[in-house]
Amino acid sequence: MHILVIGGAGYIGSHAVKALLKAGHRVSVFDNLSTGLEVNYFKDAAYTVGDILDYPSLQKAMSQDVDAVIHLAAKKAVGESMENPEKYALNNIAGAINVLNAMSACGVKRLVFSSSAAVYGEPVYLPMDEKHPLNPMSFYGFTKYDMEKYFDWYDRLKGIKYVSLRYFNAVGYDEDGDVRGLEKNPQNLLPIVMETANGTREKMKIFGNDYPTRDGTCIRDYIHVTDLGSAHAAAIEYLKTAPESQIFNLGTSEGISVLEMVNKTEELIGRKINFEFAPRRPGDPAVITASAEKAGKILGWKAEHSTIENIILSTWQVYKR
Ligand code: UDP
């Protein structure tokens, strides 16, 4: 199939491109390079630099015999979304509407979407499955929730079938070293641990050590991007037969605490990581874990690269340079 990957030069997108090429698909990427990087380009994929808010360019990319779209182009910083909701409304919501309208105009009927655990908000039960109540706590989470609602309507009205993949905490790097782009000014835990280990930062903060968890720090469900990549390929396979639209959680159901991540990194790479305990970060639930049973049953997907060792070592391989 010919797959258009919107946002395919970014961190998760480039791992998805690798999985799609490996599965034998023709891959075209549309990316505005706002966070995507040329260093992530694969020689077997075709790249167009363009923005989803530029509708004519988007429609042009969509009009080239595209069989399916993977839409990953979105802003993703939770904190920024609360300070600058306008940017998130425009890029995420208006951007997704442009993607849907371009698909509709070009007769493209299959969509894979990168959603997020942020649609759930504070856990009511754990591990969270897809039936868990949706109560996003950030504007970012709301935009993902809202986009899923648009997809529902375009399924009903336009016959566009979609698979929404709700990622939990995406981490790790391609083990063959094919994706090497580092995020500028990362906000997420593991890149910050890595930047502290390689000397980019002098010290890091652990937000809160008084949570009701085994060591007092927050627990999250970390999923390797290579596993996310294979889920995109599996979602495309699923959509080939045009069945019903679906929503899947992608996680391991295992939780790792912040302190465990820091300690295990020290142990595996043999370096000291300077940290201090700091107050809780507003809006952080104590524990989040996913049930990805549904993705296992329907997509035949399971996490195969997401051990803590592999997560840390594959990331260090990129950060140590
Ligand atoms: N965290 C931390 N220090 C940092 C960054 C993150 O202690 O410098 C914690 C954060 O409070 C949360 C966990 O690490 O409990 C994962 O945070 P991240 O921002 O990576 O992902 P989130 O779970 O918020 O989507």
Side-chain angles (χ1 to χ4, degrees), residues 32-187:
N32 69 2
L33 296 183
S34 64
T35 54
L37 297 162
E38 284 183 46
V39 67
N40 290 339
Y41 282 12
F42 283 86
K43 69 172 181 7
D44 294 332
Y47 290 83
T48 302
V49 177
D51 198 300
I52 51 174
L53 296 176
D54 174 5
Y55 187 76
S57 310
L58 181 63
Q59 201 180 4
K60 189 167 166 228
M62 198 80 76
S63 62
Q64 292 160 2
D65 290 326
V66 170
D67 297 303
V69 168
I70 298 187
H71 177 37
L72 303 111
K75 300 287 167 202
K76 60 158 196 167
V78 170
E80 186 190 40
S81 77
M82 302 296 273
E83 282 154 23
N84 193 351
E86 296 89 344
K87 184 171 168 183
Y88 281 70
L90 197 61
N91 281 278
N92 294 11
I93 298 175
I97 294 170
N98 270 357
V99 170
L100 283 169
N101 286 348
M103 288 181 71
S104 174
C106 298
V108 182
K109 300 285 188 198
R110 302 178 185 100
L111 172 68
V112 178
F113 174 62
S114 53
S115 187
S116 167
V119 298
Y120 295 117
E122 186 77 43
V124 176
Y125 59 83
L126 292 167
M128 298 156 107
D129 59 18
E130 294 82 357
K131 295 196 178 85
H132 186 282
L134 302 175
N135 188 18
M137 285 164 70
S138 66
F139 193 72
Y140 162 74
F142 167 73
T143 65
K144 294 281 171 177
Y145 164 89
D146 197 45
M147 286 187 268
E148 287 185 348
K149 299 292 164 223
Y150 279 97
F151 300 149
D152 265 345
W153 276 104
Y154 274 70
D155 177 353
R156 285 158 69 177
L157 303 176
K158 292 283 171 179
I160 293 175
K161 297 293 165 195
Y162 72 89
V163 169
S164 183
L165 300 174
R166 291 179 180 160
Y167 317 144
F168 281 63
N169 291 59
V171 285
Y173 270 85
D174 177 61
E175 289 141 45
D176 305 324
D178 290 339
V179 181
R180 296 184 305 280
L182 296 183
E183 230 181 324
K184 283 171 228 132
N185 191 22
Q187 306 293 317

Side-chain angles (χ1 to χ4, degrees), residues 260-279:
E260 285 162 357
M261 192 67 98
V262 171
N263 290 340
K264 196 71 184 175
T265 303
E266 286 186 327
E267 179 194 320
L268 288 172
I269 72 171
R271 292 201 190 182
K272 181 98 197 78
I273 292 162
N274 266 330
F275 70 84
E276 64 190 5
F277 290 114

Side-chain angles (χ1 to χ4, degrees), residues 169 188-189 192 205-207 218 220 222 258 281 284:
N169 291 59
N188 293 111
L189 176 66
I192 288 174
K205 290 189 164 109
I206 292 182
F207 300 130
C218 287
R220 294 288 179 273
Y222 294 90
V258 177
R281 194 173 65 174
D284 265 347

